[in-house]
Amino acid sequence: MGYYDDHTDSSRKNRQKGNKGGYLLSSVAGVIIGAVLVVALLPRMGDFAGIQFGDQGQSNTSENANVETEKVSLDVVTDVTKAVDKAGDAVVSISNIQAAGFWSREENAEGVQAGSGSGVIYKKEGDRAFIITNHHVVEGAQQLEVSLSTGEKLPAKIVGTDVWTDLAVIEVDGSQIKTVAEFGDSDALKIGEPVIAIGNPLGQFEGSVTQGIISGLERTVPVDIDQNGTVDWNAEVIQTDAAINPGNSGGALVNISGQVIGINSMKIAESIVEGIGLAIPINFTKTVISDLEQHGEVKRPFMGVQLASVNEIPGYYQEEALKLPKDVKSGVVISSVEPNSPASKAGLQDMDVIVELDGEPIVDVIDLRHHLYTKKNIGDDMKIKYYRNGKAEETTMKLAPENTF
């Protein structure tokens, strides 16, 4: 006889009815929640869609168009900009124009630009304005043209040049000149002090400004004046890391107050060297400028001798020909004395070896020139210690200008 559980079957049917009712309630609840979400989010979705594509976007775009965007314009004023404003217009570009080839024979030959550099307007006097630059910037020029910061171009003429200091003075019509540079005190400079170089690098970037610091003071740089491979002079210069390139020569090295404290002159251009620019101290240029304005050249004291450095002479000849004591290894040999010159009047002779001037040791020809050109003036007396035939002697020479005897 089989067993049948009527209660279980009935319960299953009840559960099925309950499940159907639960599904119905869940579906209704889901519809209601979905509707609520649509109603809540529809305005926002409409806004989003409207911004991108819809009619509401036109309204919002219109509203956004009414919002003004603030434009920021900065009037930057720093110590550097003040310095450049003060000195910049006093720095000019200089074109060196020379005749070339066959046309150089023609009296009215048209010139070509042989080089370019920079210059600094330092004085305006009457209808003339004076510009300091480098000797090598104007060397060999048949014509000179100066370009002002305004773009105005003026013809210029040389007042005077000096190959030893690599300085020159030229002049232009002063009627167009509005700004004159102010000179500072190069003796008061400090290492690490900020400086600005202003000039015309590469002959095409007029009024270029570079910034750096004073890297060194009282540097000496050997200079071969006649390009014969022998050092003739040691130039005393300021070292800076402000970029100085070809064309910057003759331009201004300016302190943070806008005062000119140096004339840019040279750049060590080896590929392995960076950040070494050189300038002639402005205090040194002042006496040179004065002579160039007045005489067209620098009036220097003159001895009237031909010289050679002892350290360039073989040791055998130092002992046999000059008869120098073994402990004397430096000095300057007189190879010839001009008649009636200051040296002749002081009793100096060929083969005399100068070892001291005014009590200061003289090592070589460069030392002698430096003492003579920077520490003595025309008309001064100069005490000289020298050796003649191995014996120490002394004399006093009265210095005179060249070509006055």
Side-chain angles (χ1 to χ4, degrees):
M1 171 183 275
Y3 177 80
Y4 179 78
D5 185 355
D6 186 62
H7 174 75
T8 302
D9 186 64
S10 176
S11 296
R12 186 181 293 114
K13 291 179 180 179
N14 290 335
R15 285 198 301 270
Q16 290 175 349
K17 290 180 180 178
N19 288 341
K20 291 180 180 179
Y23 294 150
L24 179 61
L25 289 175
S26 297
S27 299
V28 171
V31 171
I32 293 172
I33 292 172
V36 171
L37 290 175
V38 170
V39 171
L41 295 178
L42 187 58
R44 297 185 183 180
M45 295 176 66
D47 287 345
F48 176 77
I51 291 172
Q52 299 297 326
F53 312 105
D55 293 337
Q56 283 187 329
Q58 295 178 357
S59 175
N60 289 337
T61 303
S62 178
E63 290 176 4
N64 291 339
N66 293 328
V67 178
E68 294 184 0
T69 302
E70 183 180 358
K71 294 181 179 179
V72 179
S73 177
L74 298 178
D75 184 10
V76 177
V77 178
T78 67
D79 289 340
V80 173
T81 61
K82 289 178 183 177
V84 174
D85 285 344
K86 181 176 181 178
D89 288 348
V91 180
V92 300
S93 300
I94 300 173
S95 296
N96 181 326
I97 300 170
Q98 301 178 14
F102 172 82
W103 298 107
S104 61
R105 304 174 196 172
E106 300 290 337
E107 183 177 354
N108 296 318
E110 183 177 353
V112 296
Q113 182 171 317
S116 63
S118 307
V120 181
I121 305 168
Y122 68 90
K123 184 170 77 171
K124 185 175 177 180
E125 187 176 77
D127 59 353
R128 299 188 300 169
F130 294 87
I131 299 168
I132 184 171
T133 184
N134 288 144
H135 165 82
H136 73 263
V137 170
V138 301
E139 186 177 15
Q142 294 184 336
Q143 299 177 52
L144 288 174
E145 186 176 76
V146 168
S147 298
L148 305 181
S149 60
T150 59
E152 185 79 18
K153 296 184 183 296
L154 303 174
K157 67 177 183 178
I158 295 175
V159 175
T161 70
D162 181 55
V163 65
W164 291 97
T165 59
D166 192 28
L167 290 172
V169 171
I170 64 177
E171 70 171 76
V172 296
D173 177 12
S175 62
Q176 301 293 321
I177 305 302
K178 307 299 181 185
T179 304
V180 175
E182 177 184 333
F183 284 175
D185 182 3
S186 56
D187 291 337
L189 293 173
K190 298 179 181 178
I191 293 178
E193 179 177 339
V195 288
I196 305 153
I198 308 176
N200 176 34
L202 307 182
Q204 56 182 325
F205 300 112
E206 297 181 9
S208 288
V209 175
T210 55
Q211 184 181 10
I213 61 171
I214 296 294
S215 304
L217 299 169
E218 298 180 355
R219 301 295 199 208
T220 56
V221 177
V223 179
D224 180 5
I225 300 293
D226 52 13
Q227 301 297 308
N228 67 351
T230 302
V231 175
D232 301 303
W233 179 252
N234 278 332
E236 292 189 6
V237 294
I238 300 166
Q239 179 189 339
T240 177
D241 67 348
I244 297 175
N245 295 287
N248 274 117
S249 290
L253 189 66
V254 178
N255 63 18
I256 206 67
S257 296
Q259 299 172 320
V260 178
I261 46 84
I263 300 299
N264 301 323
S265 181
M266 297 167 284
K267 184 179 186 296
I268 298 176
E270 298 178 19
S271 59
I272 60 173
V273 177
E274 286 293 335
I276 300 181
L278 304 172
I280 303 169
I282 203 65
N283 287 11
F284 175 78
T285 71
K286 292 176 182 177
T287 55
V288 176
I289 288 172
S290 178
D291 270 6
L292 294 180
E293 283 186 23
Q294 295 180 49
H295 312 295
E297 61 181 358
V298 177
K299 295 289 186 180
R300 293 188 173 91
F302 184 71
M303 294 176 62
V305 292
Q306 294 293 319
L307 304 170
S309 297
V310 169
N311 56 25
E312 296 175 352
I313 298 172
Y316 173 81
Y317 291 102
Q318 291 181 24
E319 293 185 17
E320 295 298 319
L322 302 178
K323 296 181 171 52
L324 288 175
K326 291 185 178 181
D327 61 337
V328 177
K329 301 296 184 183
S330 61
V332 176
V333 182
I334 297 176
S335 58
S336 67
V337 178
E338 297 185 27
N340 299 318
S341 67
S344 174
K345 293 175 182 179
L348 293 175
Q349 300 176 10
D350 297 358
M351 307 300 286
D352 287 348
V353 179
I354 298 172
V355 293
E356 287 184 9
L357 295 178
D358 296 319
E360 293 185 6
I362 298 299
V363 175
D364 52 23
V365 173
I366 295 173
D367 253 6
L368 186 145
R369 285 180 180 143
H370 185 268
H371 184 92
L372 187 65
Y373 293 166
T374 64
K375 298 183 179 181
K376 308 301 291 187
N377 295 310
I378 294 171
D380 286 352
D381 289 334
M382 183 169 67
K383 294 181 180 180
I384 301 173
K385 181 180 177 179
Y386 62 97
Y387 280 91
R388 178 181 293 168
N389 295 321
K391 182 181 178 182
E393 305 278 355
E394 290 188 358
T395 187
T396 298
M397 178 189 301
K398 191 171 189 64
L399 298 170
E402 192 173 2
N403 300 328
T404 58
F405 51 88

